[in-house]
Amino acid sequence: MSAEDVVKDLGSKLLAGEVKVIDLSGSLGPETPVLQLPPDFAKNTPRVEIHKISEYDEDGPFFAWNWMVLGEHTGTHFDAPHHWITGKDYEEGFTDTLDLQRVVAPVNVLDFSKESAEDADFLLTPDHVKSWEAEHGEIREGEWVVMRTDWDKRGNDQATFLNADESGPHSPGPTPDCIEYLLSKKIVGWGTQCIGTDAGKAGDLDPPYPAHNFLHRDNCFGLASLANLDQLPAKGAILIAAPLKIRRGTGSPIRAMALVPV
Ligand code: 23J
Ligand code: MN
């Protein structure tokens, strides 16, 4: 089929509801959980603030609008290569310079929700990924890989979402070897449903925060706090995850979405 016919067909199927758009973002507001770094780092990203400018009142009789306080790495969001020191030298590593062609791509959804429910510190290994591939098919160059943990079902409560105790936050993520394996397949990026692309205890891994370290070293992207991955097939959907075009931005909240055949 020609590219022209494919796009024309996709348009018809979207209009007919035979291809559905699945919302993969959580809502952004003062309750949205945000990362809490360990105490050795003094500064944290702020909670979201939404301030009214007017709502059909004396400050604006015909219109409603707001202004916001919003960190780049807040809620469902995108990590650009410049976010990490290992990716600092990529000129195309910023939200305004990255190659937009790369962020629309097939997505592999690795369901490890059961394992994550049983162990909040569950770490995904290369063997887990290889057995997933044996069942569902190989992960290919340019594709997204996302890990389903159903963490979005914890809702917007910061304590429940971060799941921290005296020993720090507990949430699933990849091992260093797992990210290296996925990068050997030349994926475009890695996404999770937790607060960041790394596990809660990833500060103790070698290197610390391996998903951030390795993904951005290789000019690849990260996605965090993805919602509704339980509505996606293991393969066969297209993920669209485009950051705002923030000037020399290191990341951005996104309205992540997937195109799924019904
Ligand atoms: C800054 C420092 C460490 C981490 C993060 C940000 C994130 O998870 C993020 O949102 O990129 S681990
Ligand atoms: Mn981030």
Side-chain angles (χ1 to χ4, degrees), residues 35 37 73 77 79 83-84 195-197 209 212:
L35 183 71
L37 286 173
H73 298 261
H77 76 272
D79 288 353
H83 178 44
W84 218 254
I195 201 79
T197 54
Y209 308 107
H212 286 81

Side-chain angles (χ1 to χ4, degrees), residues 21-85:
V21 179
I22 304 292
D23 190 355
L24 303 185
S25 284
S27 68
L28 269 183
E31 283 78 38
T32 301
V34 294
L35 183 71
Q36 286 284 142
L37 286 173
D40 25 322
F41 303 102
K43 285 191 179 176
N44 270 294
T45 197
R47 302 302 293 255
V48 175
E49 295 175 24
I50 304 178
H51 299 273
K52 186 188 294 186
I53 305 172
S54 73
E55 193 173 13
Y56 331 120
D57 49 28
E58 65 277 7
D59 295 318
F62 320 130
F63 37 88
W65 52 347
N66 304 313
W67 65 274
M68 298 179 72
V69 173
L70 183 62
E72 290 177 328
H73 298 261
T74 306
T76 306
H77 76 272
F78 187 102
D79 288 353
H82 196 77
H83 178 44
W84 218 254
I85 189 166

